[in-house]
Amino acid sequence: MKYYAYVLAGACSFGLLSTFVKKAYESGFHVGEVVGSQNVFGVLMMWILVLVAAKSARSSSTSAPANYRVAPRQALMLMAIGTTSGLTGICYYAALQYIPASFAIILLFQFTWMGIVLEAIIERKRPGKEKLLSLLILFVGIIMASGYLKGGQEAPSWIGILLGLLSALTYALFIAFNGKVSAQVAPITRSAIMQSGSLVLVMCIFPPHFLFNGSLHEELLPWALLLAFFGVVIPPLFFAIGVPRIGGGMATIMSAAELPTAVIMSFVVLHETVNGLQWLGVIITMFGIALPELLKRRKRQALRENEGNSGL
């Protein structure tokens, strides 16, 4: 049960980020300062955890386990993958400047169907009927959750929508390539190296002026530490502990907790308007995410029952 709790906590921590970012914007900081400071402190925290973990492993044996060591070529490949994570943060946080947090998280969650399309392209395999049905449900969910069906609202910012969808695409790319490189390396080390790649990209796009212009001493530091802890450290660490124990399919279902967490936070803390139709859209979106795995489990159960009956 505790492994389910790890995955749930990791997903919920991701859901907190949009609210923290919005509050940082209210304090007068811009996307470069927010995403840059998050990456700087997040990478520092990750490497401290790597050093502690490696030292602990070394003290229990004659030398540090091989999976804490990474060849230069492996490190470069992991850092390259990490740049997609950096792009996700940049696009998502930029989108929050134009659209409500409750809508931005819905757009980010389109990584689910984008991941299915990417899988079909990479593996040259047509998606099954259950995945196509899931895509249809997800499209319905996002339209309802956007809040624009009822009318009476300002026209949505197309810049915000584009940035939100770009964040979903880059996140789908991150997931698609994440498990294909250096799988034998310790998860915490892989995460630290990938986040280092993300940091390099972010620093190239947004030079770290916040380190020298006094922003950290104003109000940026608390938001930077919160975003680093809940966005860079907790999710990958908790997922690395929980996902291998409960399986990727169940982890995907439980990761959907990020969606209601973000919407509830935007409603309670940011006082954004979320009507009944939008809540229904959120529920439909979560169902669309979970559907392929639920159908897969139902099919496996039916096969086991058939095998059991045939053995009688």
Side-chain angles (χ1 to χ4, degrees):
M1 189 66 187
K2 68 178 180 180
Y3 297 108
Y4 289 91
Y6 275 120
V7 175
L8 185 64
C12 290
S13 70
F14 263 139
L16 300 174
L17 301 183
S18 56
T19 296
F20 294 154
V21 172
K22 282 280 193 180
K23 298 298 284 185
Y25 288 162
E26 287 178 10
S27 299
F29 302 108
H30 59 75
V31 61
E33 293 172 321
V34 173
V35 73
S37 59
Q38 175 190 4
N39 275 267
V40 166
F41 289 103
V43 167
L44 282 174
M45 291 178 188
M46 286 300 296
W47 280 112
I48 289 171
L49 288 174
V50 170
L51 291 173
V52 170
K55 185 177 180 181
S56 175
R58 192 181 295 114
S59 64
S60 61
S61 61
T62 54
S63 61
N67 62 356
Y68 281 99
R69 303 190 187 115
V70 183
R73 186 169 177 273
Q74 286 179 311
L76 287 173
M77 291 180 71
L78 288 170
M79 289 181 73
I81 293 170
T83 59
T84 58
S85 175
L87 285 170
T88 300
I90 291 170
C91 293
Y92 182 53
Y93 290 0
L96 288 167
Q97 295 180 116
Y98 300 97
I99 55 178
S102 54
F103 187 30
I105 188 66
I106 296 289
L107 292 174
L108 176 61
F109 256 72
Q110 300 316 296
F111 78 84
T112 50
W113 67 262
M114 291 180 182
I116 292 172
V117 174
L118 281 172
E119 182 184 46
I121 294 170
I122 293 169
E123 298 183 5
R124 296 180 181 178
K125 185 173 66 176
R126 186 178 175 180
K129 290 181 181 178
E130 70 280 354
K131 288 185 178 179
L132 292 173
L133 178 59
S134 176
L135 291 183
L136 178 62
I137 293 171
L138 284 167
F139 278 124
V140 172
I142 184 176
I143 291 170
M144 294 177 67
S146 67
Y148 295 103
L149 281 181
K150 273 196 166 185
Q153 296 192 28
E154 293 181 11
S157 166
W158 291 108
I159 296 175
I161 291 174
L162 178 61
L163 287 167
L165 290 174
L166 280 173
S167 72
L169 176 59
T170 54
Y171 191 44
L173 288 168
F174 175 72
I175 292 172
F177 296 112
N178 191 359
K180 298 184 184 298
V181 178
S182 306
Q184 76 282 3
V185 177
I188 191 169
T189 306
R190 292 177 79 254
S191 295
I193 295 172
M194 285 190 287
Q195 290 301 325
S196 297
S198 171
L199 175 63
V200 171
L201 175 73
V202 171
M203 292 298 101
C204 289
I205 298 174
F206 299 111
H209 300 302
F210 61 88
L211 291 174
F212 315 105
N213 64 10
S215 295
L216 289 175
H217 298 292
E218 292 173 6
E219 285 185 41
L220 181 60
L221 184 59
W223 299 121
L225 292 175
L226 282 171
L227 288 165
F229 185 70
F230 288 104
V232 179
V233 178
I234 290 294
L237 185 60
F238 281 17
F239 286 167
I241 295 170
V243 173
R245 297 283 185 165
I246 70 172
M250 183 54 71
T252 300
I253 293 172
M254 298 199 70
S255 294
E258 176 185 345
L259 182 56
T261 301
V263 176
I264 290 168
M265 286 290 288
S266 67
F267 178 71
V268 174
V269 179
L270 300 177
H271 307 295
E272 292 182 358
T273 302
V274 183
N275 58 47
L277 190 64
Q278 287 175 275
W279 283 114
L280 182 58
V282 169
I283 294 168
I284 289 173
T285 302
M286 292 175 66
F287 177 69
I289 292 165
L291 183 63
E293 181 62 21
L294 294 173
L295 291 175
K296 202 183 299 179
R297 285 170 175 266
R298 185 178 175 182
K299 194 180 293 184
R300 283 199 298 262
Q301 186 178 354
L303 284 172
R304 282 197 297 266
E305 287 175 357
N306 289 335
E307 288 172 1
N309 292 332
S310 62
L312 291 176

Short mmCIF file of all heavy atoms in Angstrom, two decimals, residues 30 33 56 102 146 167 186 203 233-234 242 252 274 281 301:
data_model
loop_
_atom_site.label_atom_id
_atom_site.label_comp_id
_atom_site.label_asym_id
_atom_site.label_seq_id
_atom_site.Cartn_x
_atom_site.Cartn_y
_atom_site.Cartn_z
N HIS A 30 9.02 36.94 -13.39
CA HIS A 30 8.63 36.47 -14.73
C HIS A 30 9.07 35.02 -14.92
O HIS A 30 9.74 34.43 -14.07
CB HIS A 30 9.20 37.38 -15.82
CG HIS A 30 10.69 37.48 -15.82
ND1 HIS A 30 11.51 36.47 -16.29
CD2 HIS A 30 11.52 38.47 -15.43
CE1 HIS A 30 12.76 36.83 -16.19
NE2 HIS A 30 12.80 38.05 -15.66
N GLU A 33 12.78 33.88 -14.38
CA GLU A 33 13.21 33.82 -12.98
C GLU A 33 12.62 32.61 -12.28
O GLU A 33 13.30 31.94 -11.49
CB GLU A 33 12.79 35.10 -12.26
CG GLU A 33 13.52 36.34 -12.74
CD GLU A 33 12.95 37.61 -12.14
OE1 GLU A 33 11.72 37.70 -11.99
OE2 GLU A 33 13.74 38.52 -11.82
N SER A 56 26.04 6.15 1.14
CA SER A 56 25.39 5.09 1.91
C SER A 56 25.65 3.72 1.30
O SER A 56 25.94 2.76 2.01
CB SER A 56 23.89 5.36 1.97
OG SER A 56 23.21 4.31 2.62
N SER A 102 -6.28 26.22 -14.01
CA SER A 102 -7.18 25.08 -14.17
C SER A 102 -7.28 24.63 -15.62
O SER A 102 -7.52 23.46 -15.90
CB SER A 102 -8.57 25.43 -13.63
OG SER A 102 -9.06 26.62 -14.24
N SER A 146 -12.37 23.03 -20.37
CA SER A 146 -11.86 24.36 -20.72
C SER A 146 -12.76 25.48 -20.19
O SER A 146 -12.31 26.59 -19.95
CB SER A 146 -11.73 24.49 -22.24
OG SER A 146 -13.00 24.47 -22.84
N SER A 167 3.84 22.30 -24.20
CA SER A 167 4.33 21.67 -22.96
C SER A 167 3.91 20.20 -22.91
O SER A 167 4.67 19.35 -22.45
CB SER A 167 3.80 22.43 -21.73
OG SER A 167 2.41 22.21 -21.52
N ALA A 186 21.17 3.99 -11.66
CA ALA A 186 20.27 4.23 -10.52
C ALA A 186 19.30 5.36 -10.86
O ALA A 186 19.72 6.40 -11.39
CB ALA A 186 21.08 4.57 -9.29
N MET A 203 19.20 27.83 -18.61
CA MET A 203 20.17 28.91 -18.42
C MET A 203 20.56 29.55 -19.75
O MET A 203 20.89 30.74 -19.79
CB MET A 203 21.42 28.36 -17.72
CG MET A 203 21.22 27.92 -16.28
SD MET A 203 20.70 29.23 -15.14
CE MET A 203 18.94 28.91 -15.01
N VAL A 233 12.38 17.36 -7.15
CA VAL A 233 12.89 16.33 -6.24
C VAL A 233 11.85 15.24 -5.94
O VAL A 233 12.09 14.05 -6.20
CB VAL A 233 13.38 16.97 -4.91
CG1 VAL A 233 13.86 15.88 -3.96
CG2 VAL A 233 14.49 17.96 -5.18
N ILE A 234 10.71 15.62 -5.39
CA ILE A 234 9.73 14.65 -4.91
C ILE A 234 9.17 13.73 -6.00
O ILE A 234 9.21 12.50 -5.86
CB ILE A 234 8.58 15.36 -4.17
CG1 ILE A 234 9.08 15.92 -2.83
CG2 ILE A 234 7.42 14.41 -3.91
CD1 ILE A 234 9.49 14.86 -1.84
N GLY A 242 8.02 3.98 -6.22
CA GLY A 242 6.72 3.33 -6.31
C GLY A 242 6.38 2.64 -7.61
O GLY A 242 5.79 1.55 -7.60
N THR A 252 0.18 5.13 -14.17
CA THR A 252 -0.44 6.10 -15.07
C THR A 252 -1.80 6.53 -14.54
O THR A 252 -2.16 7.71 -14.55
CB THR A 252 -0.59 5.51 -16.48
OG1 THR A 252 0.71 5.17 -16.98
CG2 THR A 252 -1.25 6.51 -17.43
N VAL A 274 -14.43 27.70 -11.39
CA VAL A 274 -14.51 26.35 -11.96
C VAL A 274 -15.96 25.89 -11.81
O VAL A 274 -16.43 25.63 -10.71
CB VAL A 274 -13.56 25.36 -11.23
CG1 VAL A 274 -13.61 23.98 -11.91
CG2 VAL A 274 -12.13 25.88 -11.21
N GLY A 281 -15.75 17.73 -16.89
CA GLY A 281 -14.70 17.56 -17.88
C GLY A 281 -13.43 16.97 -17.28
O GLY A 281 -12.76 16.14 -17.90
N GLN A 301 -8.14 -10.44 -16.77
CA GLN A 301 -8.97 -11.18 -15.82
C GLN A 301 -9.87 -12.19 -16.54
O GLN A 301 -10.04 -13.32 -16.09
CB GLN A 301 -9.83 -10.20 -15.01
CG GLN A 301 -10.62 -10.87 -13.89
CD GLN A 301 -11.42 -9.85 -13.08
OE1 GLN A 301 -11.30 -8.65 -13.29
NE2 GLN A 301 -12.22 -10.33 -12.16
#
